[in-house]
Amino acid sequence: MTTSPIVSLRAVSKRFATVQALDGVDLALRPGEVHVLLGENGAGKSTATKVLAGLEAPDDGGIVLDGDPVVMRGRADSIRRGVGLVSQSGSLIGGLTLVENLLLTHTSWFARRSTAVDMLHRAADAAGITLDLDTPAHALGVAQRQLGELAIALAQGARVLLLDEPTSALGPHEIGGLFARLRQLAESGVAILFITHRLSEMRQVADVATVLSHGKVSLHGSVSETDDDTLLRAMTGELPPRAVERPHRTVGPVLLRLAEVTAAGPERVPLRSVSIEVRGGEILGVLGVAGNGQRTLAEVAAGVLTPSLGSVQTSRDVAYVPETRSDGLLPDMPAKRSAVLRRLTEPAFARLGVLDDRAAGRFAAELFDRYDVRPRDPEVPAALLSGGNQQKLLVGRELDGAPRIAVLHGPTQGLDVRATEAVRTEIRHAAEEGTAVLLVSSDIDEVRGLADRLVVLFDGRVADQFDAADFDATRVGRAMAGLPTTAADHQ
Ligand SMILES: Nc1ncnc2c1ncn2[C@@H]1O[C@H](COP(=O)(O)OP(=O)(O)O)[C@@H](O)[C@H]1O
Ligand SMILES: [Mg+2]
């Protein structure tokens, strides 16, 4: 026997200009159930959550809440009706703390700040989350921001939780913790919708799955009764290609070197006396739970941030994919502008400081083809591309033309299976061309599959390092969690 849903989409359609983002979608979220929503980039997953959260109005079809048709009149209305959202792009206001962000949504509810602090503490405690309530959101790591949004949603009294790719920046211990909370919340009667690209993750936490493909539901079923190949086929229409192993090669001279670098960056944790070297043709993987100094390390390596101590050898020819992709794009301009951003000083694209629009358009069209950026329209403002497509554009632009050094922070973050493979192939290709690659990621499998050597950052320090051949998942998991790494303990 199944319980009746708290909220459902009924035959919802939504069109944006030329794209049919949702096409007759049915989706029912039941209390006690974790429902995973799968699909390639651009399949319509975020749009479906936005419709449920009152951020987009359906063109056709509607929403049923507690058995009755409703119209969600914006976000404030959906919050009042108990729909909590942890959005893909994040909805916290950067300059404000978590407490202030909560106050902002409910000015009338809380006479005093202390009430808000209290509610947020209680919500976080109940969900087993530790939060820094008084740091401005922009200074929190991605993981803390996401957990902060989750706590805010709970403090707002959510009965339905919509989580749009909440795990892309978390490490295995944090993901395990989050999943335990989600299960607890589900058991207390909350309905949870969870978006991820990682099938193994989905199997840990979800009861039922819905797959979207080009805006249509292509599969719906219980997770335990559906195998991975069936899900992948429903997502892509075919099985995605397997990655090829990268042959071991001799590597070139050291191109990127940080020696005893101490730096205070955007994270709460500074980088403390970190030394790394990356040779031409080599991929150095940096693992760690978001917020342990990786972002600062990436910024120093990319030459964006100057350390307070230590020395840095980098290059002007450095490709940089920052953790927050919007930092690398011109959101309001046609996407072709973002596509040529690295090339603006080249005569092919700019004469006397004036951008050659047609050359930019041709370059962008080729890049869009190579990286399968959808829609194939370089005139669309970059901000209107879906998150995954923005990422494809950014990585493609940066890796184009074999840069001397590439600093890639979460380059496949939020990408679907097919796009992920395309990006990984380009990273391998760059290394083969002699680029020194610093790959920062919280995705262990990704780093393991690509890197020649690995370092693990914890609390701003190198907690462990080893060759890819000596990879040991338990050891890495422990280092990422700040636990002693067994045996010799490296002293
Ligand atoms: N505000 C918008 N304006 C124009 N197109 C949009 C807008 N939001 C989403 N889209 C398009 O709708 C499609 C579905 O996007 P989205 O729901 O974000 O996909 P997903 O979350 O599955 O990656 C994509 O092609 C995207 O480019
Ligand atoms: Mg999305």
Side-chain angles (χ1 to χ4, degrees):
M1 195 196 83
T2 50
T3 51
S4 37
I6 299 181
V7 68
S8 315
L9 295 180
R10 294 273 177 89
V12 164
S13 295
K14 176 74 188 176
R15 189 176 184 85
F16 297 108
T18 57
V19 185
Q20 190 69 44
L22 297 175
D23 189 354
V25 167
D26 289 311
L27 185 73
L29 305 183
R30 299 170 199 279
E33 217 169 59
V34 178
H35 193 138
V36 68
L37 186 59
L38 299 166
E40 295 200 282
N41 298 127
K45 305 178 299 294
S46 292
T47 305
T49 64
K50 285 178 192 162
V51 170
L52 284 165
L55 291 167
E56 296 283 1
D59 301 333
D60 247 318
I63 300 175
V64 174
L65 182 76
D66 299 321
D68 297 318
V70 291
V71 176
M72 297 280 183
R73 296 178 202 287
R75 189 63 191 113
D77 188 31
S78 68
I79 289 174
R80 202 168 44 75
R81 296 178 190 271
V83 178
L85 172 69
V86 178
S87 70
Q88 187 172 13
S89 50
S91 58
L92 297 177
I93 300 197
L96 304 181
T97 66
L98 291 178
V99 170
E100 290 160 349
N101 268 286
L102 175 60
L103 280 168
L104 200 67
T105 61
H106 284 302
T107 33
S108 57
W109 288 15
F110 307 123
R112 292 183 313 148
R113 182 191 152 84
S114 58
T115 320
V117 174
D118 226 47
M119 289 191 69
L120 206 47
H121 264 306
R122 247 183 296 141
D125 279 353
I129 303 170
T130 315
L131 284 178
D132 185 342
L133 302 184
D134 296 310
T135 301
H138 65 73
L140 297 172
V142 175
Q144 280 281 308
R145 284 206 295 272
Q146 281 169 333
L147 294 173
E149 286 201 58
L150 180 63
I152 286 175
L154 295 173
Q156 287 165 340
R159 301 182 289 147
V160 177
L161 272 178
L162 312 172
L163 304 159
D164 196 348
E165 300 188 30
T167 56
S168 39
L170 306 185
H173 282 259
E174 274 178 316
I175 290 174
L178 174 66
F179 285 178
R181 305 307 158 226
L182 293 185
R183 292 269 22 134
Q184 251 173 28
L185 287 166
E187 264 141 45
S188 74
V190 176
I192 296 174
L193 182 72
F194 179 78
I195 297 177
T196 181
H197 290 295
R198 302 181 190 160
L199 296 183
S200 57
E201 248 174 27
M202 166 211 82
R203 295 209 174 273
Q204 286 175 52
V205 72
D207 306 298
V208 291
T210 294
V211 180
L212 286 181
S213 174
H214 302 283
K216 289 196 173 80
V217 174
S218 57
L219 187 146
H220 173 75
S222 111
V223 167
S224 59
E225 288 163 17
T226 316
D227 64 31
D228 284 0
D229 282 359
T230 307
L231 291 168
L232 286 168
R233 257 189 230 105
M235 281 185 247
T236 64
E238 64 195 83
L239 287 180
R242 290 257 153 133
V244 242
E245 288 284 309
R246 199 161 64 95
H248 256 286
R249 297 141 298 105
T250 48
V251 287
V254 173
L255 298 182
L256 173 66
R257 176 185 281 126
L258 272 63
E260 301 278 321
V261 163
T262 294
E267 293 160 289
R268 211 153 46 85
V269 174
L271 207 57
R272 310 175 210 257
S273 193
V274 165
S275 300
I276 55 162
E277 282 184 354
V278 192
R279 294 174 176 275
E282 187 183 40
I283 302 177
L284 177 66
V286 180
L287 275 170
V289 172
N292 279 285
Q294 299 93 310
R295 188 163 159 190
T296 307
L297 175 68
E299 290 191 3
V300 169
V304 176
L305 184 75
T306 310
S308 48
L309 283 174
S311 68
V312 181
Q313 173 200 334
T314 176
S315 163
R316 285 179 49 156
D317 185 19
V318 54
Y320 182 34
V321 174
E323 181 180 30
T324 315
R325 57 190 150 230
S326 54
D327 291 353
L329 297 172
L330 304 169
D332 302 324
M333 295 197 174
K336 64 184 178 190
R337 294 287 179 99
S338 292
V340 293
L341 211 54
R342 248 176 81 71
R343 304 270 192 118
L344 284 182
T345 54
E346 294 177 18
F349 294 106
R351 290 257 167 89
L352 304 169
V354 180
L355 178 72
D356 180 341
D357 229 34
R358 288 191 28 218
R362 280 195 302 272
F363 176 78
E366 197 264 326
L367 195 73
F368 274 40
D369 269 345
R370 191 147 38 100
Y371 279 87
D372 190 26
V373 178
R374 288 181 245 172
R376 275 293 191 286
D377 182 3
E379 303 296 331
V380 170
L384 290 190
L385 297 174
S386 74
N389 283 294
Q390 290 181 13
Q391 185 79 353
K392 288 189 264 182
L393 167 58
L394 185 58
V395 173
R397 173 189 86 201
E398 292 296 312
L399 287 183
D400 183 63
R404 202 170 150 81
I405 299 172
V407 177
L408 309 173
H409 196 159
T412 62
Q413 188 185 181
L415 292 186
D416 61 48
V417 182
R418 195 204 307 249
T420 295
E421 273 327 309
V423 165
R424 289 179 184 166
T425 302
E426 293 293 329
I427 294 172
R428 286 189 191 94
H429 184 70
E432 271 153 31
E433 300 281 301
T435 301
V437 180
L438 185 70
L439 172 70
V440 182
S441 176
S442 53
D443 184 337
I444 295 186
D445 293 333
E446 167 159 296
V447 174
R448 182 180 190 183
L450 287 174
D452 301 297
R453 285 186 304 116
L454 292 95
V455 303
V456 181
L457 281 190
F458 181 78
D459 199 29
R461 294 179 201 283
V462 174
D464 201 358
Q465 53 185 317
F466 43 86
D467 282 339
D470 302 327
F471 189 93
D472 171 345
T474 313
R475 174 172 165 181
V476 170
R478 291 181 66 85
M480 284 175 78
L483 301 169
T485 43
T486 58
D489 258 340
H490 319 285
Q491 273 314 311

